[in-house]
Amino acid sequence: AVVSTQREGGKAVVSTQSTGGGTRSISGTSHYHVALENRLAELHNKERSLVFTSCYVANDTTLQTLAKQLDAEIFSDSGNHASMIAGITNSRMPKHIFRHNDTDHLEQLLAKSDPDRAKIVAFESVYSMTGTMSPIEEMCDIAHSYNALTFVDEVHAVGLYGDTGAGLAEERECGSKIDIVTGTLGKAYGLIGGYIASSDSLVDVVRSYGSGLIFTTSIPPSTAAGAVASIDVLASDEGRSLRQKHRESYSMLRDKLVTGGFPVMRCPSHIVPVLVGDPLKARLAMEHLFDRHRIYVQAINYPTVPRGSELLRFVATPYHTPQMMDYLVDALDDVWTGLDLPRNTV
């Protein structure tokens, strides 16, 4: 593979002549994969990182591998992503579900557990459908008081929060309390792939025994090189400027939707969910917005959200203007009226 990364017109450009490799252990690890893993470890201030084909695979593989190898009980937030649920289920280890973001319930469950058995507390920093944020530091402190490892999914936070884009834990200055952090190279970083970052010993356990790493093709060298460039951009002053514009943009969108009387689910993150509460009407609202107004927004139905919680999920970018948002509000007003949907803030 021949890969070069350079700056052209203030933008990062990756040029490459490369072919896909094999699995990570058989010709699928190049200089660019190693450079990416070193950069991710540096980003999260951890000893080591490990790159996977997606963060679904990273979460599934890491949770099931560590739980099996450590003979650990797992304590999981009820709002956790399907990839985390898959890893917990596939581990076949004892699991305990605590109410979403409920630190008291988490502590009650930990207090009842075997003090001599290994434990993993797994949760997300930003939840993708509701936009809620977890009390990261408090959860980590509770977990560590019962000698549990903390596993935190920062998929919806990396690139978007923190001084260098390392996520919500960096923004709240508690990243050192996370034992295993996972993230994506998609979403804010704009590519594909996922990763974990942790201590050298924990990462080596996953590298040595994780079937989701061992038995699948690695990401291409060009993707790895592009990811390093993207991380560097979002860790720079340019990235900080983009995050500030992004915050202003999604805050403005939320305010406009609330002012318009739509049932916005109030949350502190960049995700702006609008409750519909009916699967058919959610689908129709999506179709009418696109067909009549050329606006694409995704309807979210079961099993991604519980039945009765169907919603439209909006995420503004730094480049959405106030005029664009006003057009969206007018279009949404037309659709909401036509479908006789309720107007109240959640």
Side-chain angles (χ1 to χ4, degrees):
V2 179
V3 184
S4 64
T5 305
Q6 55 189 333
R7 304 286 296 190
E8 291 182 4
K11 298 183 181 299
V13 177
V14 178
S15 59
T16 177
Q17 297 176 354
S18 66
T19 58
T23 64
R24 288 299 305 271
S25 57
I26 306 175
S27 78
T29 298
S30 69
H31 161 78
Y32 306 101
H33 295 86
V34 175
L36 173 58
E37 289 174 341
N38 289 340
R39 185 66 182 90
L40 288 165
E42 177 188 31
L43 178 71
H44 290 286
N45 196 27
K46 301 297 183 190
E47 292 178 352
R48 190 172 174 186
S49 81
L50 196 61
V51 170
F52 296 77
T53 51
S54 73
C55 200
Y56 187 106
V57 177
N59 284 347
D60 181 3
T61 301
T62 301
L63 279 169
Q64 66 170 293
T65 302
L66 288 179
K68 286 178 181 177
Q69 295 299 318
L70 299 175
D71 189 33
E73 292 182 276
I74 305 176
F75 297 78
S76 175
D77 189 289
S78 62
N80 278 344
H81 189 265
S83 59
M84 299 168 74
I85 295 170
I88 293 165
T89 302
N90 291 334
S91 75
R92 297 188 176 91
M93 292 292 108
K95 64 179 183 294
H96 310 275
I97 311 301
F98 58 92
R99 290 185 293 272
H100 179 52
N101 279 350
D102 190 330
T103 53
D104 290 337
H105 192 210
L106 169 61
E107 184 155 23
Q108 288 169 15
L109 294 174
L110 285 166
K112 295 176 183 177
S113 65
D114 181 351
D116 296 323
R117 187 166 192 176
K119 300 176 234 346
I120 300 171
V121 174
F123 59 97
E124 301 178 43
S125 63
V126 178
Y127 287 82
S128 61
M129 294 299 123
T130 60
T132 54
M133 292 176 164
S134 64
I136 301 172
E137 186 167 18
E138 187 177 358
M139 282 193 171
C140 288
D141 287 344
I142 291 169
H144 291 151
S145 70
Y146 290 89
N147 295 317
L149 292 171
T150 53
F151 177 104
V152 181
D153 177 317
E154 286 254 46
V155 160
H156 292 275
V158 290
L160 301 178
Y161 297 91
D163 185 59
T164 65
L168 189 61
E170 181 187 41
E171 185 163 296
R172 294 180 176 177
E173 300 181 343
C174 60
S176 63
K177 296 191 175 185
I178 297 174
D179 297 305
I180 307 124
V181 61
T182 73
T184 183
L185 302 175
K187 298 181 172 64
Y189 290 128
L191 291 153
I192 189 171
Y195 64 89
I196 66 169
S198 185
S199 66
D200 184 78
S201 57
L202 284 176
V203 170
D204 199 55
V205 169
V206 179
R207 182 196 65 80
S208 301
Y209 296 101
S211 59
L213 179 83
I214 297 169
F215 297 108
T216 193
T217 304
S218 64
I219 63 171
S222 55
T223 301
V228 172
S230 187
I231 292 165
D232 286 345
V233 168
L234 288 182
S236 70
D237 287 340
E238 180 182 353
R240 282 182 278 277
S241 175
L242 284 170
R243 278 189 289 281
Q244 179 58 37
K245 290 178 182 176
H246 184 225
R247 184 161 300 189
E248 292 168 0
S249 186
Y250 67 71
S251 298
M252 180 184 297
L253 175 61
R254 182 182 291 112
D255 290 344
K256 286 180 179 291
L257 290 172
V258 169
T259 301
F262 299 102
V264 179
M265 300 169 66
R266 303 307 292 268
C267 59
S269 74
H270 62 286
I271 295 165
V272 185
V274 177
L275 183 66
V276 178
D278 180 284
L280 178 59
K281 288 188 175 183
R283 177 75 182 184
L284 287 172
M286 178 184 73
E287 292 175 352
H288 292 344
L289 281 169
F290 187 78
D291 294 340
R292 298 177 187 175
H293 303 284
R294 312 312 292 170
I295 294 172
Y296 169 71
V297 59
Q298 183 61 52
I300 309 295
N301 291 324
Y302 178 85
T304 306
V305 294
R307 289 186 176 91
S309 301
E310 295 81 9
L311 54 87
L312 299 180
R313 178 175 174 267
F314 296 88
V315 181
T317 74
Y319 301 106
H320 281 111
T321 65
Q323 293 76 22
M324 291 175 179
M325 295 181 199
D326 289 338
Y327 179 75
L328 167 63
V329 171
D330 289 343
L332 206 57
D333 182 72
D334 171 59
V335 170
W336 231 250
T337 300
L339 292 175
D340 192 27
L341 289 167
R343 295 173 184 263
N344 63 303
T345 301
V346 179

